C-alpha cells in the first residue's frame, strides 16, 4: 500500500495530481483541470491513466474528464453532481470505497463549496485529496452550501489524523495568509505566513499541507477561537468566511 503522488500546476492557480498505486502500477488522476497538462505529466512519468477521481463538478476540476477518457479509456468516478459536465461511470457518496489496485480511498462528504463535493482519503498512506474544501490557510467559497454544511465538512477533514498529507486543489496560500494575518496574530500563524511568502517568492508550491498545520493556523478551523463572541461554532465560521469574502488584501 504505497501511493506515489505527482503534483503539477494547471491553469492559472490549480494543481493537478497523479497518484500511482505502487503494488499494481495503476494510476489515478484527482480532478481534471487541464487534459493537455495531465497528458504531458503522464507522458513525463511514463504512466498510463486508469481512473479519474472527481471531487466536485466545477469545470476546473472535471472539465478534462471527457478528453482524458477518450484518450485513455479510463474510468470516471465522482459525486452525482459531476453529471453537470458529463455523467461519471460510477457515482459515489459518503462512506463508499474506491480501490486503485491495493490502495483504498474512502469517500468523505465535504459539501459546501458545492453541495455534492467529496474528499478522497487514503488512510493507509495518510493522504487526503480535499479539492476546494480546505486550502492551506483557507477554505473554499460557499457557492452552493451554507456555513453549517461547510463547517461540518471541515470538521470531517479536521478529524483525520494530524499527520495526514492534505492535497488542496489551488495555490491560494499567499492571499489566504494575508487575510489570516488580518484576523489572527498568533505566533504560529506569523511564523508560517513568513515561510509562505518566502516560498512563493522562490516560486515554490505551498501545497500539500497537513492537518496539524491547518489546525494550528487556519483561521477557518480556528473560527470559534477567533470569534469567542459567537457561541455557535458554525456561525463563528460563517462570520470568518464572510469577512474573507469582503477582504481586500
Ligand atoms: Zn471549485
Ligand atoms: Fe477549483
Amino acid at each position: 500500500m504505497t501511493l506515489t503522488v505527482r503534483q503539477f500546476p494547471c491553469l492559472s492557480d490549480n494543481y493537478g495530481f497523479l497518484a500511482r498505486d505502487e503494488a499494481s502500477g495503476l494510476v489515478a488522476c484527482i480532478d481534471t483541470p487541464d487534459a493537455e497538462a495531465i497528458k504531458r505529466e503522464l507522458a513525463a512519468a511514463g504512466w498510463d491513466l486508469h481512473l479519474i477521481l472527481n471531487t466536485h463538478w466545477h469545470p476546473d476540476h472535471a472539465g478534462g474528464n471527457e478528453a482524458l477518457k477518450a484518450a485513455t479509456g479510463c474510468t470516471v468516478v465522482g459525486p452525482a453532481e459531476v453529471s453537470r459536465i458529463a455523467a461519471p461511470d460510477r457515482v459515489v457518496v459518503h462512506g463508499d470505497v474506491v480501490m486503485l489496485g491495493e490502495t483504498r480511498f474512502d469517500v468523505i462528504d465535504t459539501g459546501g463549496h458545492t453541495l455534492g463535493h467529496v474528499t478522497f482519503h487514503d488512510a493507509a498512506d495518510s493522504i487526503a485529496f480535499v479539492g476546494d474544501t480546505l486550502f492551506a490557510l483557507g477554505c473554499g467559497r460557499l457557492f452552493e452550501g451554507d456555513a453549517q454544511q461547510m463547517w461540518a465538512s471541515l470538521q470531517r477533514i479536521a478529524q483525520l489524523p494530524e499527520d495526514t498529507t492534505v492535497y488542496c486543489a489551488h495555490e491560494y496560500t499567499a492571499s489566504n495568509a494575508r487575510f489570516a494575518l488580518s484576523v489572527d496574530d498568533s505566533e504560529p500563524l506569523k511564523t508560517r505566513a513568513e515561510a509562505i511568502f518566502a516560498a512563493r517568492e522562490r516560486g515554490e508550491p505551498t501545497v500539500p499541507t497537513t492537518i496539524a498545520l491547518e489546525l494550528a493556523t487556519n483561521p477557518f478551523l480556528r473560527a470559534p477561537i477567533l470569534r469567542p463572541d459567537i457561541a455557535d461554532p458554525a456561525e463563528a465560521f460563517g462570520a470568518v468566511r464572510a469577512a474573507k469574502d469582503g477582504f481586500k488584501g
Side-chain angles (χ1 to χ4, degrees):
M1 311 156 287
T2 304
L3 194 70
T4 301
V5 178
R6 284 178 73 114
Q7 174 180 319
F8 49 101
C10 284
L11 308 177
S12 60
D13 52 33
N14 282 76
Y15 284 118
F17 304 104
L18 295 177
R20 182 180 194 262
D21 170 64
E22 295 301 339
S24 63
L26 296 178
V27 175
C29 175
I30 295 81
D31 287 335
T32 59
D34 181 342
E36 289 308 314
I38 291 163
K39 280 195 249 176
R40 279 197 299 275
E41 191 71 14
L42 286 164
W47 292 354
D48 292 321
L49 188 63
H50 179 73
L51 182 69
I52 290 170
L53 298 175
N54 285 133
T55 61
H56 64 298
W57 72 270
H58 283 162
D60 65 316
H61 295 262
N65 284 8
E66 286 194 277
L68 285 167
K69 188 176 168 165
T72 66
C74 67
T75 302
V76 180
V77 172
E81 64 174 29
V82 171
S83 300
R84 293 203 212 175
I85 300 282
D89 299 302
R90 179 183 165 199
V91 167
V92 288
V93 298
H94 184 78
D96 282 351
V97 170
V98 183
M99 296 303 296
L100 176 73
E102 292 185 7
T103 301
R104 169 191 170 125
F105 291 101
D106 288 289
V107 179
I108 303 172
D109 166 17
T110 48
H113 174 71
T114 62
L115 289 177
H117 193 299
V118 297
T119 282
F120 295 96
H121 179 224
D122 165 10
D125 296 296
S126 268
I127 289 173
F129 294 98
V130 300
D132 287 356
T133 302
L134 182 69
F135 294 123
L137 289 183
C139 77
R141 280 180 185 267
L142 302 182
F143 284 123
E144 298 179 6
D146 59 14
Q148 208 75 37
Q149 183 185 13
M150 190 63 153
W151 179 250
S153 294
L154 288 169
Q155 291 313 298
R156 277 179 220 115
I157 295 174
Q159 282 157 17
L160 297 177
E162 290 207 2
D163 67 352
T164 304
T165 301
V166 177
Y167 288 98
C168 332
H170 289 269
E171 180 61 62
Y172 289 155
T173 319
S175 101
N176 287 342
R178 285 190 286 278
F179 169 73
L181 290 169
S182 79
V183 293
D184 187 2
D185 63 357
S186 74
E187 282 309 316
L189 172 63
K190 285 195 251 182
T191 304
R192 186 179 179 198
E194 266 177 49
I196 284 164
F197 296 137
R200 294 308 294 149
E201 279 297 301
R202 298 191 298 268
E204 293 169 5
T206 63
V207 172
T209 178
T210 66
I211 297 298
L213 207 44
E214 297 314 313
L215 284 172
T217 54
N218 186 304
F220 298 98
L221 297 184
R222 282 168 52 74
I225 298 164
L226 298 176
R227 294 300 304 264
D229 55 313
I230 304 176
D232 179 53
E235 278 175 35
F237 161 74
V240 175
R241 184 60 255 180
K244 171 73 161 69
D245 292 340
F247 181 69
K248 305 267 183 279

